[in-house]
Amino acid sequence: MKKTTILYEGKAKKIFNTDDKDLLIAEFKDSLTAFDGKKKDLELGKGALNNKISTELFKLLNKNGVQTHFVDMIDDNNMLHKRCDTILIEVIVRNIATGSLSKNFGIKDGTILPFTLVEFDYKNDKLGDPKLNDQHALLLGLVSDQKELDILRQKAREINDILKPYFKNIGLNLVDFKLEFGKDKDGNIILIDELSPDNCRFWDIDTGESLDKDRFRQGIGGVKLAYEEVLKRILK
Ligand code: CDP
């Protein structure tokens, strides 16, 4: 499969058209961004790590009956995936309070939530990805109807029910993560984008150490080592 024209360049990936109209290639970049792109850096090898981690997690989800856009890992930085119409909702799943949940609602960092929280953000960089309730999402026409919002929630929980125990088994608490969904050519809502330490928070169960993009957000360093550790544990 060959890349033809570029379709889109985002903060972490370039998306290319291919000679098959139903397939795209995502090229994972080494750039790291945070705070709506205000903080930027380059971490050589980060793109390849995220491609490999996402590949393993998409395979795991596919094996467990969750449909994703993943088709194949082409090489270190490139993933072949289905073409989908992106739903402009970021679905945030939380098991433990931290980040904006702690800040916005005054919940102590590290509190284990009594149930898994699923939130919607509007995927709109210019507006700073504001929080959405169901009526906002319907008002903005981000989905066709309430049923589609219910599907997003249900799929997010299903994915969490697979990933949370999987990560626990490799010594990581899956604190929270962001999912994106799209509609494939048959109109099915499937998981798209990536699943990596760029959009998941992983805390080591023994030490509490962050093994994700928070190391970059907080300027702690050791970003690449942390991503490598996540991949190493996944591949064990
Ligand atoms: O980073 P911040 O505290 O503002 O965001 P959050 O709402 O606490 O993030 C929850 C989870 O979603 C974290 O795992 C983030 O990495 C992820 N997220 C993301 O990948 N992209 C966004 N635009 C927002 C959140």
Side-chain angles (χ1 to χ4, degrees):
M1 196 62 55
K2 277 210 182 67
K3 288 177 184 169
T4 55
T5 51
I6 186 155
L7 176 67
Y8 169 79
E9 177 159 8
K11 292 187 290 249
K13 292 183 291 295
K14 286 184 192 168
I15 312 292
F16 293 89
N17 290 303
T18 69
D19 30 30
D20 182 328
K21 69 172 176 34
D22 296 328
L23 298 176
L24 301 174
I25 292 175
E27 183 184 312
F28 285 70
K29 305 199 292 188
D30 288 338
S31 46
L32 270 164
T33 63
F35 312 119
D36 294 329
K38 285 182 210 90
K39 182 170 178 174
K40 282 186 206 156
D41 206 352
L42 208 64
E43 184 72 54
L44 288 184
K46 194 249 350 179
L49 286 163
N50 280 357
N51 187 23
K52 289 172 190 166
I53 293 169
S54 293
T55 291
E56 294 304 320
L57 297 178
F58 281 141
K59 281 184 178 168
L60 173 78
L61 292 174
N62 287 341
K63 207 173 70 189
N64 282 278
V66 176
Q67 277 187 290
T68 77
H69 72 161
F70 176 79
V71 176
D72 198 12
M73 193 177 105
I74 299 174
D75 59 27
D76 275 7
N77 284 81
N78 291 282
M79 177 189 286
L80 185 67
H81 65 72
K82 293 178 192 157
R83 183 192 291 272
C84 289
D85 287 329
T86 303
I87 297 172
L88 295 177
I89 296 178
E90 298 192 336
V91 182
I92 313 279
V93 183
R94 301 178 184 273
N95 295 308
I96 299 176
T98 192
S100 64
L101 181 69
S102 293
K103 195 169 137 253
N104 294 341
F105 297 99
I107 304 173
K108 193 169 174 286
D109 203 282
T111 304
I112 296 170
L113 300 177
F115 57 87
T116 300
L117 183 67
V118 179
E119 302 175 323
F120 294 151
D121 289 358
Y122 183 18
K123 185 174 160 62
N124 185 320
D125 278 344
K126 274 194 206 136
L127 298 176
D129 300 339
K131 287 259 159 271
L132 291 172
N133 66 27
D134 288 25
Q135 286 183 302
H136 292 131
L138 294 170
L139 192 78
L140 293 168
L142 304 180
V143 285
S144 321
D145 53 25
Q146 180 66 43
K147 204 173 123 226
E148 290 191 350
L149 293 173
D150 297 341
I151 291 174
L152 295 182
R153 281 204 183 86
Q154 183 224 318
K155 286 192 183 284
R157 289 187 188 283
E158 202 181 316
I159 291 166
N160 187 53
D161 288 345
I162 296 165
L163 294 183
K164 196 175 135 185
Y166 171 81
F167 280 106
K168 190 161 191 196
N169 199 36
I170 56 172
L172 294 172
N173 270 322
L174 178 59
V175 175
D176 57 28
F177 54 103
K178 185 245 331 181
L179 301 172
E180 293 186 22
F181 292 89
K183 282 188 188 167
D184 69 11
K185 66 176 167 49
D186 303 317
N188 300 309
I189 295 180
I190 66 171
L191 183 67
I192 62 165
D193 194 45
E194 66 178 276
L195 271 174
S196 74
D198 268 9
N199 57 7
C200 303
R201 285 191 172 104
F202 301 116
W203 291 354
D204 184 276
I205 288 179
D206 295 328
T207 66
E209 195 188 6
S210 289
L211 296 174
D212 56 61
K213 199 163 87 171
D214 271 352
R215 303 191 76 88
F216 171 68
R217 294 189 186 96
Q218 295 164 12
I220 315 170
V223 176
K224 193 172 164 190
L225 277 177
Y227 286 38
E228 279 169 350
E229 177 64 23
V230 171
L231 179 62
K232 197 176 97 191
R233 292 192 198 188
I234 287 174
L235 293 177
K236 233 188 235 165

